[in-house]
Amino acid sequence: MKKILLTSVLLLSMLFSAGCGETAEGTEMSLMAINVRKADALLLRSGTSAYLIDTGVKKNSDMLLDALRKEGITRLTGVILTHTHADHVGGLKALLESEIVVENIYAAGYYALKKEDGKHPVEKAIKKTDYTYSFLFAGDELPLDGGKLTVIGPLEKNEELENNNSLVLLAEGGGGSILLTGDMEFPEEDSLLKAGVIPHADVLKIGNHGEGDATSRALLAAVNPSLAVISTNTEDEPDTPDPRVLKELKNMGIPVLITQDTQTGILVTLRNGEILTEMK
């Protein structure tokens, strides 16, 4: 575990070494875990690239848009929807109706719809617009200026649990890496672990809002992160973060930051092999 230096008590900023190789002077990659209560909205930036991974829930679209505006976002290289649940795709329509330009829309290639109409929520969100969207599968790569963004899962479709169709993404840049897990639960974790495709990553976005049906000890051991981030709100979902998940992280000496402890979100920056965090 890397040494942590508290650089600002008021901003709760921390600095520690990521140790993932040398990069060009000045290169960096950042992840903003936006506070959209019990939902996911993650802003990934590297160079000229800016991706929004999930869009939160519909009723909190204003929180999403306010955060993007505060971060100076006027254009997104792409929006990536990890799976079809409303707390991940609910803010897409409001985003597409805003002044922010979205260049590409991506969705998980494997999905299990429960509603009778059988329409993908992305299809509903782009109705009456000129937008189209593309599906992503394991092995796909998306352009990331100064880095690399790779889809590593899922490896197969889960007909019963949509959470286990969540896209799992590895972002590499700034001399480090970030693993983004959507709402992946134990079955998808086991599938990826058995296939040997779970990588080490310096920052881990904890799966399924920190619920107890995700984030096994085996997963944490394989990723061996220096920092964990959880997107949730206990008022919305009282069993998150789950005490077992927090205990596992504590026992492994992994610091954890939770979006509900912020006004706008958690900013994690990987810069020349170091990680800086700020609670905004």
Side-chain angles (χ1 to χ4, degrees):
M1 189 57 56
K2 309 301 186 292
K3 182 179 179 181
I4 298 174
L5 173 64
L6 186 65
T7 58
S8 172
V9 175
L10 291 177
L11 292 178
L12 194 62
S13 297
M14 296 184 291
L15 172 64
F16 50 100
S17 171
C20 280
E22 296 181 358
T23 61
E25 184 67 27
T27 62
E28 69 175 45
M29 177 176 70
S30 70
L31 180 74
M32 175 80 165
I34 298 171
N35 181 359
V36 283
R37 297 187 66 87
K38 189 265 174 185
D40 271 15
L42 309 168
L43 176 63
L44 177 71
R45 288 172 287 186
S46 181
T48 60
S49 300
Y51 287 92
L52 183 66
I53 298 101
D54 291 325
T55 61
V57 67
K58 180 180 179 180
K59 67 179 181 180
N60 292 327
S61 297
D62 57 338
M63 299 176 72
L64 169 66
L65 294 175
D66 287 348
L68 293 175
R69 289 164 182 149
K70 286 180 181 178
E71 292 300 303
I73 297 298
T74 59
R75 179 180 295 271
L76 291 165
T77 308
V79 175
I80 303 171
L81 291 312
T82 60
H83 61 297
T84 64
H85 283 164
D87 57 340
H88 293 254
V89 303
L92 178 60
K93 189 172 187 292
L95 173 64
L96 297 180
E97 292 174 348
S98 75
E99 78 286 358
I100 297 172
V101 176
V102 176
E103 296 180 357
N104 300 282
I105 303 173
Y106 304 96
Y110 294 129
Y111 57 93
L113 300 177
K114 297 297 183 183
K115 294 186 177 181
E116 293 181 359
D117 63 12
K119 288 186 178 180
H120 196 287
V122 176
E123 184 179 340
K124 294 179 182 179
I126 66 174
K127 187 178 180 180
K128 297 181 180 179
T129 74
D130 294 328
Y131 284 102
T132 60
Y133 66 104
S134 304
F135 289 120
L136 294 176
F137 296 91
D140 288 343
E141 293 185 10
L142 294 177
L144 186 67
D145 185 25
K148 186 177 180 182
L149 182 58
T150 308
V151 181
I152 66 170
L155 302 179
E156 65 275 321
K157 181 177 179 178
N158 190 305
E159 297 284 357
E160 300 299 324
L161 295 171
E162 174 64 0
N163 279 350
N164 290 307
N165 291 318
S166 291
L167 290 174
V168 178
L169 307 167
L170 179 67
E172 299 170 274
S177 56
I178 302 173
L179 186 65
L180 307 168
T181 59
D183 276 0
M184 176 173 68
E185 298 180 16
F186 292 145
E188 188 177 355
E189 290 181 17
D190 291 343
S191 170
L192 298 180
L193 286 166
K194 288 176 182 177
V197 297
I198 290 288
H200 161 69
D202 299 291
V203 180
L204 172 64
K205 183 270 179 189
I206 297 294
N208 201 19
H209 314 283
E211 291 208 26
D213 53 12
T215 316
S216 65
R217 186 176 303 175
L219 178 77
L220 290 175
V223 179
N224 190 27
S226 293
L227 176 69
V229 174
I230 299 177
S231 294
T232 196
N233 185 283
T234 303
E235 290 183 358
D236 295 348
E237 194 77 23
D239 61 347
T240 63
D242 187 271
R244 180 198 62 80
V245 174
L246 295 178
K247 185 177 180 181
E248 295 281 12
L249 292 168
K250 181 178 180 181
N251 288 344
M252 296 183 70
I254 302 168
V256 58
L257 300 176
I258 306 172
T259 53
Q260 69 179 2
D261 296 329
T262 72
Q263 180 175 352
T264 304
I266 301 163
L267 179 63
V268 180
T269 303
L270 281 67
R271 181 183 302 152
N272 297 320
E274 295 178 328
I275 303 174
L276 301 98
T277 75
E278 182 178 343
M279 307 290 272
K280 304 188 76 170

